[in-house]
Amino acid sequence: MLGLALTLTAASAGMLWAVVTYGAHRPAVQQSPFAALPLFFNAHPTGVRELAAADVQHIARGGRAAAAATLDLARLGGAALPYVLPALDSLEPQSRERVALALTPVAVRMGVASADELRDGAQSVLFWTRFWQDRAIDFRVAVVRHLTARLAERSLALRREDLIHVDTLAMPALIEALGKVRNEADIARVQRLSSVLSHVTELPERPLPIADVAAAQRAADTWRDFWAVHGSEYVALDGPRRLAATFVETRYGKWLAAVLRGGLGRTSNGESALSLIQRGFVTTACLLLIGLGGGFTLGVVWSRFERSRTACVPRSASLLTGTALAAIPCATLVSVLADRGAGLGTAACLVMFATAGWVSRHLARSKLTARPRSSLTAAFSVSAPLGATYPPIVLSAIVLVELGFRLPGVGRSAALALASGDVNAWMAASLTLALVTLVLRQAADLVRPRAAPHAASRR
Amino acid sequence: MTDYVHGLGFAALAGSLIIAVAFLVALPLGALAASGPPSLDTALRFACDLVSSLPTLFVAAVLWAWAGRSLSYVCALGALRGLQQAWLLRCELVRLEDEESSASGPPGHHSSRPAFSRRRLRAALGPLLVSASFGVAWLTALDAGLTQAGLRPAAALPTWGIVLGARPLDPLATVLAASSVVALTVLLQRVFRQQRAI
């Protein structure tokens, strides 16, 4: 089990590399929201402290970069204040005024001053200095958590205003408080918290229909998705959090976080990746069962038949048929010839015949060195090495068939996800296929333990 | 017809290259894993599990996009196929060793003798050669699958995969390409036939 888990972990890293690499070389593929992050290790994770310091520097210097920095500082809002306001004193008077003026949109959003009041630079500096003297105590995690818990519990205008006064600093607590949505009380809570979140992020607020749990859950998920992309920009990365961010703030870390949130993450359609797999697994499992079971049995019978023929014609015909079935991508031909008439039954037969062709070719060329035994024992003995190569070949055939016949299987879902750059759907579908392959290979080892690597000690 | 001729050239060259690279990887690795230290055996199994954990179609799609050039793509595919064949060879060698030991005495009795090892290696090559003979077919099937899934690079060389995977199919070209794949595979099987079937 440990070996299986280790292999799956390594395979998941390879699969993420695969989808990222494929997307990077195909301009048509949609860009992931995490495209800017490194793949597996982030040597320099960036939090609100670093972003705010950079913005302050640019604004203080003035020039072209200052305009973009001003917008960014306004976006960071209250979360940046604990790092920007104490740093004001260290700036030159002119730079200090520039930075204070850049914070005007934040003050307006927080409802602590109007734009007219902060039009003058000196006046603005004075306002922010006094603001920090009076309100610094409110900008603490414990206080913000308390305020959020109160709003989540019950709706009062004052409670909402208290949170708006700390602006984006409340976002981690607000996201956490969204929780699960099961009943009307939860819907009301999500509505209240969404309202504050929309205000501090200046994103449009969508009113939720009453008693619509699914809509409220979608709204909560949308905010969680927003947080997955932008969360680190509103949080200071200190100590252990910075260390964790070297992994969490990577594309692999983001995918893993989405998986841990439940449902194996969400696809680009907003659907849970788990439901995508559940829907496709029946088709793939059916093809796999028939391909593995029927294909192997047919292959054994076939090779027995071929060996029992002494005449050249039937042997050559058998060889040709076996080779043709295993060699040509029959799915593409049959799907076109049969058009819409072909379905799961035809596809299953194709998988079975193709794998039987491949197995029969293999068995026909294997050699027994021991004394003669029963045909079943002989077939079982020579097919032991197939345990290693058989499942991946059957799965590849299944993917081809699913594509050819447009069957809603896991393989087709993986192909479509890879082509469109849908990371969560791709990872879920490809890991399911990988798990199936690995379990089948482990099963082959159990059937014939001496073929497994741990039996190498026999020597 | 031009596509068919181009496809024939690609199939012959790429098929040969894949078989050559795969053998280059498979023979030493498989033989070492079967008769060398157990750690090598475990490492080969882990590598094979990783390579085989994903259907080859997807591995090919990513490799083609990543490698860019068809030559690098074919070499990379050959190396991956070599890993799978190395495990196949290793399994076959272990099986033959089991067969021999159960027939003529305790395990390891003959394993130190070079003559027995050579004989066993020759006997184990059968399935490997069958697998290798499907090299061209495997490449064409992958190509057709990639074409059908829309995962094939637009600027890639014209091959039989396009003929077999494109829609609508050109009946004449399809039959020609399909029968050529089978003919090439049978030819390779004939070339590789050195052993008596069981």
Side-chain angles (χ1 to χ4, degrees):
Chain A
M1 284 302 284
L2 183 69
L4 195 71
L6 274 176
T7 313
L8 263 186
T9 307
S12 69
M15 281 156 192
L16 188 73
W17 174 84
V19 69
V20 168
T21 306
Y22 184 81
H25 290 85
R26 297 290 289 263
V29 173
Q30 67 177 20
Q31 279 288 313
S32 158
F34 306 114
L37 292 176
L39 207 50
F40 299 115
F41 181 72
N42 191 345
H44 305 289
T46 313
V48 67
R49 186 198 298 268
E50 293 78 19
L51 289 172
D55 287 342
V56 166
Q57 245 182 6
H58 286 129
I59 295 167
R61 269 195 229 128
R64 272 188 181 181
T70 304
L71 285 176
D72 193 50
L73 195 60
R75 183 179 65 86
L76 295 177
L81 292 183
Y83 312 103
V84 175
L85 296 183
L88 279 181
D89 291 341
S90 62
L91 298 172
E92 289 174 10
Q94 206 177 356
S95 302
R96 194 182 306 161
E97 286 185 8
R98 280 200 204 112
V99 173
L101 282 171
L103 288 171
T104 303
V106 181
V108 173
R109 193 166 67 214
M110 288 163 68
V112 291
S114 66
D116 287 338
E117 287 173 292
L118 303 176
R119 195 156 284 170
D120 177 58
Q123 208 173 350
S124 194
V125 171
L126 186 65
F127 166 79
W128 284 114
T129 310
R130 284 185 179 164
F131 174 85
W132 198 240
Q133 283 168 356
D134 291 347
R135 301 277 187 90
I137 199 161
D138 293 339
F139 282 73
R140 290 182 180 177
V141 176
V143 176
V144 173
R145 276 185 186 281
H146 177 66
L147 293 173
T148 310
R150 286 178 58 194
L151 182 71
E153 204 174 87
R154 199 176 154 202
S155 176
L156 280 177
L158 273 177
R159 291 178 181 182
R160 186 176 184 274
E161 272 178 30
D162 284 345
L163 274 172
I164 285 174
H165 284 171
V166 292
D167 200 46
T168 54
L169 190 79
M171 282 184 72
L174 287 167
I175 296 287
E176 200 183 316
L178 285 169
K180 288 186 178 172
V181 188
R182 294 191 190 92
N183 50 38
E184 285 189 17
D186 294 334
I187 297 173
R189 185 186 68 242
V190 170
Q191 179 77 70
R192 288 197 294 275
L193 298 173
S194 289
S195 163
V196 179
L197 281 165
S198 296
H199 181 89
V200 298
T201 55
E202 295 183 8
L203 290 170
E205 184 182 353
R206 289 180 192 167
L208 295 175
I210 298 165
D212 190 345
V213 172
Q217 185 62 56
R218 273 198 302 278
D221 285 342
T222 307
W223 282 118
R224 287 195 190 98
D225 287 347
F226 171 85
W227 189 247
V229 179
H230 299 289
S232 67
E233 295 164 12
Y234 297 98
V235 175
L237 301 176
D238 296 317
R241 186 175 276 175
R242 173 163 287 276
L243 191 67
T246 56
F247 175 72
V248 173
E249 292 304 315
T250 61
R251 297 179 78 162
Y252 189 80
K254 292 291 183 188
W255 166 72
L256 202 60
V259 169
L260 294 177
R261 276 210 300 274
L264 296 178
R266 291 196 301 126
T267 67
S268 54
N269 300 335
E271 182 190 7
S272 146
L274 185 63
S275 64
L276 183 81
I277 300 305
Q278 281 170 340
R279 211 174 45 240
F281 193 72
V282 179
T283 306
T284 305
C286 178
L287 290 171
L288 190 68
L289 206 67
I290 295 170
L292 269 177
F296 180 76
T297 316
L298 194 61
V300 171
V301 173
W302 189 333
S303 61
R304 291 297 302 163
F305 166 79
E306 192 177 316
R307 270 184 268 130
S308 65
R309 301 294 102 175
T310 47
C312 181
V313 175
R315 283 181 77 96
S316 300
S318 171
L319 185 142
L320 261 179
T321 315
T323 307
L325 280 172
I328 312 170
C330 305
T332 62
L333 303 179
V334 176
S335 63
V336 171
L337 293 173
D339 201 20
R340 290 178 184 276
L344 187 62
T346 318
C349 286
L350 266 179
V351 173
M352 188 172 74
F353 286 127
T355 46
W358 191 82
V359 169
S360 71
R361 291 312 89 212
H362 177 93
L363 292 182
R365 292 301 303 275
S366 291
K367 194 167 184 172
L368 275 177
T369 55
R371 60 187 173 278
R373 291 180 291 186
S374 76
S375 60
L376 191 67
T377 317
F380 183 73
S381 172
V382 294
S383 61
L386 284 181
T389 45
Y390 193 45
I393 284 176
V394 179
L395 273 176
S396 293
I398 286 172
V399 174
L400 280 173
V401 164
E402 284 178 0
L403 284 168
F405 289 83
R406 296 173 187 272
L407 296 174
V410 179
R412 185 163 180 264
S413 300
L416 294 179
L418 180 64
S420 65
D422 188 339
V423 175
N424 286 347
W426 158 257
M427 291 298 283
S430 60
L431 273 177
T432 306
L433 294 174
L435 183 66
V436 169
T437 311
L438 292 173
V439 167
L440 288 173
R441 290 186 70 158
Q442 294 288 337
D445 286 349
L446 288 177
V447 170
R448 193 179 166 82
R450 282 178 70 79
H454 54 75
S457 55
R458 70 199 179 280
R459 291 185 287 270
Chain B
M1 200 61 194
T2 319
D3 279 356
Y4 173 79
V5 175
H6 278 125
L8 179 65
F10 180 80
L13 285 174
S16 314
L17 196 58
I18 279 187
I19 292 169
V21 174
F23 264 93
L24 214 61
V25 174
L27 282 177
L29 275 183
L32 274 175
S35 56
S39 54
L40 194 68
D41 197 17
T42 311
L44 181 64
R45 170 61 185 256
F46 184 70
C48 272
D49 277 349
L50 273 186
V51 168
S52 311
S53 60
L54 204 58
T56 324
L57 186 78
F58 301 135
V59 179
V62 175
L63 280 180
W64 215 343
W66 174 64
R69 292 186 311 150
S70 295
L71 181 70
S72 318
Y73 160 69
V74 168
C75 286
L77 270 188
L80 287 183
R81 193 155 172 79
L83 270 179
Q84 287 173 340
Q85 290 185 347
W87 186 253
L88 189 67
L89 178 65
R90 174 264 177 211
C91 287
E92 191 69 6
L93 282 168
V94 169
R95 180 182 71 80
L96 290 173
E97 187 183 323
D98 283 354
E99 297 273 350
E100 282 176 11
S101 61
S102 64
S104 61
H109 180 64
H110 296 301
S111 55
S112 58
R113 296 185 189 175
F116 271 98
S117 299
R118 274 202 301 275
R119 191 168 64 89
R120 199 183 297 146
L121 188 63
R122 279 190 64 197
L125 280 179
L128 197 68
L129 293 173
V130 171
S131 184
S133 69
F134 280 102
V136 174
W138 179 70
L139 186 67
T140 310
L142 283 181
D143 204 353
L146 292 177
T147 307
Q148 204 163 36
L151 297 170
R152 192 179 195 276
L157 292 170
T159 60
W160 286 342
I162 299 179
V163 177
L164 289 168
R167 285 191 177 188
L169 283 180
D170 175 358
L172 183 68
T174 305
V175 171
L176 209 58
S179 50
S180 302
V181 171
V182 177
L184 270 177
T185 310
V186 172
L187 183 73
L188 282 169
Q189 285 182 359
R190 291 278 174 201
V191 169
F192 288 145
R193 175 161 291 195
Q194 291 167 348
Q195 293 178 306
R196 181 174 54 85
I198 53 168

